[in-house]
Amino acid sequence: MSISGTDAYATETHLPPLVERALAAARAHAFPHSVRPEQGRLLHALAGGAAGAVGETGAGCGVGLAWLASGAREGVRIVGVERDPDRARVCAEVFADRPEVEILHGDWRRIGERGPYDLLVLDGGGTGRSPDDDPADPARLLTPDGTVVIDDFTPATDDPPLHDGKVDRPRLFWLRHPALNTLELPLAPDLATLVGTRRRLAGTETTWRGFAYGQIVRGVVTRIERFGVFVDLDGSEGFITAPELTRRHFDSYDEVVHVGQEVTAEVLAFELFRPQVRISTAALEPDPLGEFARGAFGRPLVGPVTEVVPFGVFVRVAEGIEGLVHRDDLTGPALPDVGTELTVEVTDINLVLRRVRLRPAR
């Protein structure tokens, strides 16, 4: 959802009538986070290619759904999920005369009750962009060659993409997802959207040209560019981005590799349109989080609060490792201050997204 998306329509004209209706509802209920016009026009175009079902998480007051419903062909089902009960009611009223549109109230995961989808828009859950939000599974929620849209990124000019000076791992999760061919589309100077299409050929999610997702391969470095390292994998091209080269800090590639060097790496994904194998040498190095995970469960851990956020607090539980305690698991009206020592226990570790979930020790 866009921070000021509703206001972005102030000078827009010639909008689809259903979008006008949803905008009126958003304004009447002071809901500012509607999809922006640039996003709406993209959704309108993509919906026209759907044959059976279209879904959206985070329906809000229905502006995004209105763009989708206005662009969809006759007979296509439209499903929206909204967790806020008042907004879900408002959204349902917007589409009261459109029987093809169904509004579900609850957690974003309810979208799975009506899938799979030809087009799925992740706008209010399932993106994996916040520590309390697990990413959706496109292989389960999309039809073969179905499309997923992940909204509201800042256009990236770096490879790998950065956010607040750090590698944007949620964005990389979708760009490198083995079940998807994903592109980043810049829609405005401050707005980009990821559009991923589920791979059509059976098996390409995990295998391609004799390579398998997670396979260990050996090759020779043939070229080093600003954006990464190219490796000859016995006639196939492998590519290593900077964060996948090593877990250690480095200032220039020649501190880590040189042309002609033999490297061993893990297969991450396949870029079929190049064609190219995305590989990682860092994946084979000792992983502090992996080492931590081996003995993390079933014992109390003591550490300081390092950051306070609206949905909870982050606690340092080992050197270089922090985990989230969700506010629903904390007692008292106020969140602990930075520096407060908490005794916690691990409930979940995601090595792909580099996330640790914690709760107060019992």
Side-chain angles (χ1 to χ4, degrees), residues 115-156:
Y117 298 92
D118 302 294
L119 173 63
L120 176 61
V121 181
L122 300 175
D123 193 27
T127 67
R129 294 173 61 187
S130 64
D132 61 340
D133 180 34
D134 292 324
D137 180 5
R140 183 177 68 86
L141 294 174
L142 294 180
T143 59
D145 70 11
T147 298
V148 62
V149 176
I150 306 98
D151 270 337
D152 295 329
F153 287 90
T154 301

Side-chain angles (χ1 to χ4, degrees), residues 89-211:
R89 176 185 53 78
V90 170
C91 193
E93 291 173 354
V94 168
F95 299 99
D97 61 346
R98 300 294 293 263
E100 76 277 16
V101 179
E102 180 182 13
I103 307 302
L104 303 177
H105 166 237
D107 183 84
W108 73 266
R109 293 170 183 80
R110 291 203 64 192
I111 200 73
E113 298 174 10
R114 303 293 189 270
Y117 298 92
D118 302 294
L119 173 63
L120 176 61
V121 181
L122 300 175
D123 193 27
T127 67
R129 294 173 61 187
S130 64
D132 61 340
D133 180 34
D134 292 324
D137 180 5
R140 183 177 68 86
L141 294 174
L142 294 180
T143 59
D145 70 11
T147 298
V148 62
V149 176
I150 306 98
D151 270 337
D152 295 329
F153 287 90
T154 301
T157 57
D158 299 295
D159 187 9
L162 303 178
H163 180 68
D164 290 337
K166 300 178 182 179
V167 174
D168 191 345
R169 291 192 175 276
R171 188 183 327 219
L172 284 180
F173 174 84
W174 294 105
L175 289 171
R176 297 179 179 175
H177 198 293
L180 299 170
N181 287 323
T182 305
L183 296 175
E184 179 174 324
L185 302 180
L187 302 179
D190 62 341
L191 180 64
T193 291
L194 302 185
V195 179
T197 303
R198 187 179 173 192
R199 300 185 189 277
R200 179 179 300 178
L201 300 177
T204 56
E205 292 91 344
T206 55
T207 61
W208 176 72
R209 287 191 176 180
F211 294 100

